[in-house]
Amino acid sequence: MGVVNITPDSFSDGGRFLDARSALAHARRLAEEGADLIDIGGESTRPGAAPVPEEEELNRVLPVLRGLNDLGKPVSVDTRRPAVMKAAAQAGASMINDVEALGAPGAIEAAAASGCAVCLMHKKGDPATMQQDPHYDDVVGEVRDFLEQRVAACQAAGIARDRIVVDPGFGFGKTAAHNLELLRRLHELSSLEIPVLAGLSRKSTLGKLTGRPVEERLAASLAAALLALQGGATILRVHDVKETRDVIAVWQAFRE
Ligand code: HH2
């Protein structure tokens, strides 16, 4: 899954693809580099990010989505808002990627009606405050239980199990130690019997481990991608598609 953030303030590519033309060009480049799925987002969810008005989010996302209708690859939309989910589905989105796991009022219903696949992500707290001393007794157990409940809620709302992907939400209300614990025990999520998506690309935990700024975290991101593959992730949400493809090629050859 190649990431295109149509925002001024995303932590790693904020401002680079804010106009539709550059976002489209970047999405096409990622597809050419081997992304099977493009994830576009119009609102940053980085720690401390300010919420974006709904109208603004729609104005950022919809032109890019429509512009990708001929891409020949599925496009997911990273949003928490039911109105954006609905409009995105009408504009050709294949997946709704929600960092709130369809927790907003009306989100489950909007996703169910859309016919799209859904990615349910775990997050503890709101972006504004989630990194202020998050606490878990058992981070893996808590994440797993939460995802299991959200899968059940989705199924009860009519979203078929084979349309659901789960994500432990690296960096969302988690310290570096929590993220490492989740990565080390990622395979425990396989008991949910739902595909696992992992998003570690360029994240601040990698900065903490290496001492490197966001633009110098490619090697750390690739190491994390390999660890996520080893932990059973089958979708990697990444900014650097070409390089991650090489990691996957080595991983696949090794396994076969
Ligand atoms: N991470 C980010 C945003 N959306 N969605 C899923 N499913 N999993 C993730 O780990 C995830 C996500 C944060 O990364 P990014 O989009 O690069 O930054 P920002 O939120 O600042 O736009």
Side-chain angles (χ1 to χ4, degrees):
M1 172 188 268
V3 182
V4 182
N5 286 310
I6 315 159
T7 63
D9 57 344
S10 287
F11 79 95
S12 83
D13 58 357
R16 287 188 57 201
F17 311 117
L18 190 51
D19 68 292
R21 207 146 39 105
S22 55
L24 281 168
H26 189 59
R28 289 185 191 286
R29 184 161 57 241
L30 296 183
E32 273 164 31
E33 288 179 1
D36 291 324
L37 174 65
I38 301 293
D39 187 46
I40 64 173
E43 180 183 52
S44 173
T45 49
R46 76 183 155 74
V52 174
E54 184 169 293
E55 197 59 30
E56 176 66 20
E57 191 183 348
L58 286 165
N59 287 339
R60 289 178 186 174
V61 166
L62 293 182
V64 177
L65 197 46
R66 293 196 188 103
L68 292 175
N69 281 347
D70 64 352
L71 186 68
K73 296 198 176 183
V75 178
S76 81
V77 174
D78 192 338
T79 186
R80 317 189 254 182
R81 292 198 167 107
V84 178
M85 294 172 189
K86 204 169 152 193
Q90 281 164 1
S94 297
M95 179 187 259
I96 292 160
N97 171 26
D98 185 0
V99 300
E100 289 186 346
L102 305 177
I108 274 209
E109 293 78 5
S114 74
C116 290
V118 298
C119 175
L120 306 173
M121 196 198 81
H122 175 273
K123 164 172 82 61
K124 189 156 181 157
D126 288 320
T129 56
M130 66 188 178
Q131 289 308 104
Q132 293 169 8
D133 198 22
H135 173 82
Y136 299 83
D137 290 330
D138 167 16
V139 64
V140 179
E142 204 173 302
V143 165
R144 195 196 166 286
D145 289 351
F146 170 84
L147 294 174
E148 189 165 38
Q149 283 162 21
R150 297 310 295 159
V151 169
C154 283
Q155 287 192 268
I159 301 175
R161 217 179 153 77
D162 64 3
R163 275 169 53 199
I164 304 174
V165 170
V166 293
D167 179 346
F170 290 103
F172 285 83
K174 289 150 191 121
T175 63
H178 294 140
N179 290 321
L180 285 169
E181 182 74 2
L182 275 167
L183 189 53
R184 197 178 292 120
R185 295 170 53 197
L186 194 63
H187 56 90
E188 291 180 34
L189 298 184
S190 60
S191 60
L192 296 170
E193 298 186 339
I194 299 267
V196 173
L197 182 153
L200 286 142
S201 181
R202 302 183 185 172
K203 284 195 173 165
S204 70
T205 287
L206 303 178
K208 238 176 221 139
L209 298 178
T210 59
R212 302 214 182 267
V214 69
E215 63 279 10
E216 291 177 20
R217 295 182 192 158
L218 174 60
S221 299
L222 298 176
L226 181 60
L227 293 168
L229 289 169
Q230 285 183 320
T234 52
I235 306 175
L236 303 175
R237 184 180 183 277
V238 302
H239 302 87
D240 302 287
V241 167
K242 181 169 145 244
E243 294 83 353
T244 308
R245 266 282 162 211
D246 288 356
V247 171
I248 294 170
V250 173
W251 162 246
Q252 282 180 331
F254 168 78
R255 289 218 313 167
E256 282 156 21

